[in-house]
Amino acid sequence: MRQNIVAGNWKMNLSFDEADNLIEELVEKLEENELAPNTRMIVCPPFPYLELCSDASVDSYFAVGAQNVNENDNGAYTGEVSATMLHSMELDYCIVGHSERRAYYGETDALIAKKVDQLQKYDITPIFCCGEVLEEREANRQFEVVKRQITDGLFHLDKEHITNIIIAYEPVWAIGTGKTATPDQAQEMHAFIRGLLAEKYGKEVADEISILYGGSCKPSNAKELFANPDVDGGLIGGASLKSEDFFQIAMSF
Ligand code: PEP
């Protein structure tokens, strides 16, 4: 059975002390309240706070992931972080292909495919982001765009490796804008993505893969979004920076 997942992407936010407070508050809430069965919380802080968060996660209340990875093993790549490093810290997850990396750092589908392989080589589950920009949605090209991102970023994987992927559909027009996709828009795209996976790998495999929604998800809309049959949770930006909001979203299953 596929997992329900709520992953928090802190992006480039918070001082060390603020990060420390946020993670402590989260641990307190998780000590006092259990998440629904089959529900996993993942926290993706900036690189310098990974150790702080993994230390706080020792009792397995949540898992920790990175926000990016370099496509090479190791070497002269100043400022970059490798999958071998993340693996040596026993991290289980890493976001790849976030729209901000595609837009500001020119990440292509081909590069993202290499990062996916690199993570899987070191047993780290990629949280693979896809989604259309506003102009593409307005031109009704969202399905074509997402199909290309999924095909070029993931479809070189075999059956065994595709099941070690989490997909996050994040319509770019909904990220950090306060505009959320309607539950119907989210379900429509998630069902489309699951259909692509089923065509390529078979229904049984497609049914095992968690597909998260991202884009201004908050406590007030999480329940309605997650109630859809193909929405298996959320990738949360802004609302993951407030422990109560993030926790309430995780309690929305
Ligand atoms: C994100 O960037 O992954 C995201 C979903 O951000 P927000 O929740 O702030 O829209």
Side-chain angles (χ1 to χ4, degrees):
M1 191 166 82
R2 62 181 183 257
Q3 271 191 317
N4 293 324
I5 295 168
V6 171
N9 175 9
W10 291 5
K11 308 192 184 184
M12 195 174 74
N13 289 301
L14 306 178
S15 67
F16 185 83
D17 286 346
E18 287 165 343
D20 195 17
N21 286 339
L22 176 55
I23 210 71
E24 281 309 315
E25 286 170 16
L26 212 50
V27 168
E28 265 173 41
K29 290 178 196 300
L30 293 166
E31 274 169 351
E32 286 162 17
N33 304 273
E34 261 184 53
L35 298 179
N38 195 37
T39 300
R40 165 150 275 220
M41 180 186 273
I42 305 171
V43 172
C44 301
F47 289 129
Y49 309 152
L50 282 171
E51 193 174 359
L52 172 81
C53 292
S54 353
D55 286 351
S57 78
V58 281
D59 288 325
S60 304
Y61 292 120
F62 56 88
V64 180
Q67 296 175 17
N68 184 30
V69 71
N70 185 273
E71 67 278 18
N72 297 289
D73 260 343
N74 276 306
Y77 301 99
T78 302
E80 292 292 285
V81 170
S82 67
T84 57
M85 293 172 187
L86 302 179
H87 176 71
S88 70
M89 294 179 71
E90 298 180 5
L91 295 179
D92 294 318
Y93 298 95
C94 181
I95 297 170
V96 280
H98 191 279
S99 61
E100 287 150 19
R101 297 221 51 97
R102 291 177 189 260
Y104 308 149
Y105 302 98
E107 291 199 5
T108 60
D109 294 321
L111 176 67
I112 293 160
K114 282 190 194 161
K115 293 187 177 199
V116 165
D117 290 345
Q118 193 65 8
L119 288 169
Q120 291 207 331
K121 183 170 158 194
Y122 292 99
D123 293 327
I124 299 165
T125 302
I127 303 175
F128 175 92
C129 303
C130 57
E132 79 285 358
V133 300
L134 185 61
E135 301 82 77
E136 291 162 342
R137 165 76 54 172
E138 283 174 348
N140 202 26
R141 291 184 50 226
Q142 65 272 25
F143 297 109
E144 171 201 328
V145 169
V146 168
K147 183 176 182 178
R148 190 209 71 227
Q149 291 170 336
I150 299 260
T151 305
D152 294 356
L154 291 179
F155 279 5
H156 60 289
L157 299 176
D158 60 19
K159 264 192 188 185
E160 184 200 333
H161 287 89
I162 195 73
T163 51
N164 186 29
I165 289 279
I166 297 168
I167 295 177
Y169 167 59
E170 302 205 299
V172 182
W173 46 271
I175 294 181
T177 58
K179 270 190 216 162
T180 315
T182 65
D184 285 350
Q185 283 173 323
Q187 169 57 26
E188 184 184 35
M189 183 58 85
H190 285 224
F192 173 74
I193 294 170
R194 205 176 302 286
L196 293 176
L197 294 165
E199 245 173 62
K200 170 88 180 161
Y201 298 101
K203 186 173 178 325
E204 214 174 300
V205 169
D207 282 344
E208 270 181 56
I209 299 173
S210 298
I211 307 178
L212 315 184
Y213 166 79
S216 300
C217 184
K218 37 192 182 254
S220 58
N221 58 26
K223 232 187 187 97
E224 221 187 331
L225 285 160
F226 300 171
N228 288 285
D230 288 296
V231 180
D232 307 309
L235 179 55
I236 318 297
S240 71
L241 297 171
K242 292 187 191 131
S243 61
E244 182 58 21
D245 284 2
F246 189 51
F247 175 70
Q248 286 306 333
I249 293 171
M251 295 294 277
S252 300
F253 289 105

